[in-house]
Amino acid sequence: MDNTKIRNYQIASAIFVCILGTLLHFTYKFFGENNFVASFSAVNESVWEHLKLLFFPMLLTTIIGYFYIGKNAPNFLCSKTLGIITSMLFIIIFFYTYTGIIGKSILFIDITSFFVAVILGEYLSYKLMITNFECNNIIAIIILTIILICFVVFTYFPPNIELFKDPVTNQYGIIKI
């Protein structure tokens, strides 16, 4: 597989994820708090809901990319899955580390960390795709499916832990005001 084609796809993917992820922050309200849209859009300001802004666009570029370059890069699905997981972990770890140190969140830092997470995940995916990294695509599909199910289920039935708590309202899940 041509590394240039993979690189260009990953760059396009990163740009697409940044744009769509930003838009998904607003789609739940824009579509009148539609329950279907809630499954893949942020329904509150919790860290968990903001992970959707990363996961669903990256999942979409993974599906599209599989048909575009994935058949020629045998480790495509695993590489993209590891990129998604790395991006999500970066957001969680970075957010709780910096807010733990300074005692509050800063919108500019939160937004910047989203973009950094996207770039980090897409870069890791690219680096893995151009190596001889071997993996099991079935495991990657199972992991992505489990994460997807968790996002949908926890939108409506979130655990009462900090990751799911809206810092603005101190509530969990879909908030009806």
Side-chain angles (χ1 to χ4, degrees):
M1 179 83 201
D2 178 21
N3 290 354
T4 304
K5 188 174 182 180
I6 294 171
R7 184 198 67 221
N8 291 344
Y9 185 79
Q10 289 304 107
I11 291 169
S13 178
I15 293 167
F16 177 81
V17 170
C18 288
I19 293 169
L20 183 58
T22 300
L23 293 174
L24 286 177
H25 190 277
F26 306 102
T27 52
Y28 177 64
K29 295 282 186 197
F30 181 80
F31 286 100
E33 299 182 353
N34 179 282
N35 280 335
F36 173 73
V37 175
S39 297
F40 56 86
S41 301
V43 300
N44 65 39
E45 295 299 320
S46 70
V47 174
W48 177 259
E49 290 296 318
H50 282 79
L51 292 176
K52 288 180 183 179
L53 309 180
L54 179 93
F55 176 77
F56 284 101
M58 286 183 94
L59 178 64
L60 184 58
T61 63
T62 299
I63 294 167
I64 293 167
Y66 179 76
F67 294 103
Y68 179 63
I69 61 172
K71 299 204 183 218
N72 298 317
N75 60 7
F76 179 82
L77 284 176
C78 291
S79 298
K80 293 294 278 184
T81 300
L82 289 171
I84 291 169
I85 292 168
T86 299
S87 296
M88 290 172 46
L89 287 174
F90 175 82
I91 287 176
I92 294 167
I93 293 167
F94 183 80
F95 177 80
Y96 286 112
T97 300
Y98 101 82
T99 58
I101 292 169
I102 67 173
K104 64 178 182 174
S105 68
I106 299 170
L107 183 61
F108 175 76
I109 294 174
D110 296 340
I111 293 169
T112 302
S113 72
F114 169 76
F115 295 126
V116 170
V118 170
I119 293 166
L120 177 66
E122 297 292 3
Y123 181 74
L124 175 65
S125 295
Y126 167 72
K127 291 306 260 184
L128 291 172
M129 276 184 244
I130 63 171
T131 67
N132 292 327
F133 166 68
E134 292 186 27
C135 63
N136 185 326
N137 285 332
I138 299 300
I139 293 173
I141 292 169
I142 290 169
I143 290 169
L144 291 174
T145 302
I146 289 170
I147 295 170
L148 184 140
I149 290 168
C150 287
F151 275 119
V152 174
V153 170
F154 293 155
T155 295
Y156 305 101
F157 308 102
N160 287 336
I161 59 175
E162 194 66 26
L163 182 66
F164 299 89
K165 186 176 182 180
D166 181 337
V168 176
T169 64
N170 291 321
Q171 295 180 2
Y172 300 86
I174 296 178
I175 299 164
K176 301 287 184 183
I177 300 175

